[in-house]
Amino acid sequence: MKPRQSRDPKRRLASSARLDLPGRQTLALEAHYVGSAVRKKHPADYGFHPPVNPRPWKSLCDGKRVILKAEASELLM
């Protein structure tokens, strides 16, 4: 895996050996999709309010097609 590019020196990826299989499975069960209005072309379609400070240089999650929250959550499993 190539090194993570981050502006925050305190952020880093944990080693895969840090957790055993049951620990990783527990984390996977607790993971959930939240979403972000900043990355949506039409945030109201997802129940978000338009962002106060939109960032037009960010890629859009719904640029090609709408992915509803239920589908995004299913993709995590």
Side-chain angles (χ1 to χ4, degrees), residues 14-32:
S15 165
S16 61
R18 186 172 179 184
L19 285 176
D20 57 358
L21 182 59
R24 290 194 303 268
Q25 290 172 334
T26 300
L27 283 178
L29 290 172
E30 293 174 0
H32 62 279

Side-chain angles (χ1 to χ4, degrees), residues 45-57:
D45 291 350
Y46 301 88
F48 295 125
H49 297 288
V52 175
N53 186 16
R55 296 178 282 177
W57 60 90

Side-chain angles (χ1 to χ4, degrees), residues 12-75:
R12 57 190 177 274
L13 295 176
S15 165
S16 61
R18 186 172 179 184
L19 285 176
D20 57 358
L21 182 59
R24 290 194 303 268
Q25 290 172 334
T26 300
L27 283 178
L29 290 172
E30 293 174 0
H32 62 279
Y33 176 77
V34 176
S36 170
V38 175
R39 296 209 177 250
K40 304 294 186 221
K41 188 174 188 176
H42 303 287
D45 291 350
Y46 301 88
F48 295 125
H49 297 288
V52 175
N53 186 16
R55 296 178 282 177
W57 60 90
K58 294 291 184 180
S59 61
L60 297 175
C61 297
D62 59 347
K64 298 216 181 237
R65 72 176 182 92
V66 173
I67 300 174
L68 299 177
K69 185 176 178 180
E71 181 183 354
S73 295
E74 183 68 29
L75 291 171

